[in-house]
Amino acid sequence: MRIVAGIDEVGMGPLAGPVVAAAVVLGPRHGLSGLKDSKQLTERARERLAGEIRARAQAWALGQACAAEVDRLNVLQAAWLAMRRAVDNLALTLDLALVDGVHVPVLPCPARAIVRGDARVPAISAASIVAKVARDAEMRDWDAVYPEYGFARHKGYGTAHHLEALARLGSCPLHRMSFAPVRDARRRS
């Protein structure tokens, strides 16, 4: 039986925090229902499904690229780096990786890109959910370190509250300095 993983990333758009990717291998009888693109689920549904996925998947792993890597590489290359790290962290050797998107990153196994794969392929949907839940949890943890930015609330996205905090406080080490709103806030401070 071929070992196929779904791979997806989250966190390309935020002004702060890592890009997180997940690789998930679902067995043919995984028994999971309600899998879909993580953006189409409530936070509560994502949390519930992520627990079920982690318990029932044949294998799953996370990888990430930090804000400094986003700045150094660019956000797309950082996302691909996070995907490679997720595959490298899997306990299984893959025969194929199905990646959400248009482009195929360089991975240590054959890979195929699937447009809107997070809505069409259960293993990619599962990866989307696991990655989103993990990144959100990490941003809540960072909120305890940098409470003035409100990371628990907006997860690093460029909300009005976050932009106001940037304008008032400048950036912190979690911010992506190559992103215009962060760069502009640095110039003003």
Side-chain angles (χ1 to χ4, degrees), residues 3-128:
I3 299 174
V4 179
I7 301 175
D8 200 6
E9 54 64 35
V10 297
M12 287 181 64
L15 306 178
V19 176
V20 175
V24 176
V25 178
L26 294 179
R29 294 186 179 90
H30 56 77
L32 295 163
S33 62
L35 294 176
K36 58 174 80 171
D37 176 3
S38 65
K39 294 180 290 296
Q40 297 177 355
L41 296 166
T42 65
E43 182 176 2
R44 186 176 186 168
R46 280 193 303 267
E47 294 277 347
R48 179 186 55 77
L49 280 167
E52 290 179 20
I53 292 162
R54 291 188 302 260
R56 295 183 187 182
Q58 285 183 316
W60 66 273
L62 296 168
Q64 68 174 260
C66 68
E69 290 171 317
V70 170
D71 289 337
R72 189 176 80 245
L73 300 171
N74 80 42
V75 73
L76 180 60
Q77 294 297 320
W80 290 350
L81 176 61
M83 290 178 184
R84 276 193 304 279
R85 288 173 173 165
V87 170
D88 288 344
N89 289 335
L90 275 173
L92 300 173
T93 301
L94 298 179
D95 295 310
L96 178 65
L98 302 176
V99 180
D100 181 50
V102 179
H103 304 288
V104 178
V106 175
L107 296 173
C109 64
R112 191 169 77 225
I114 299 178
V115 175
R116 294 187 19 83
D118 53 1
R120 299 170 45 203
V121 178
I124 298 176
S125 300
S128 171

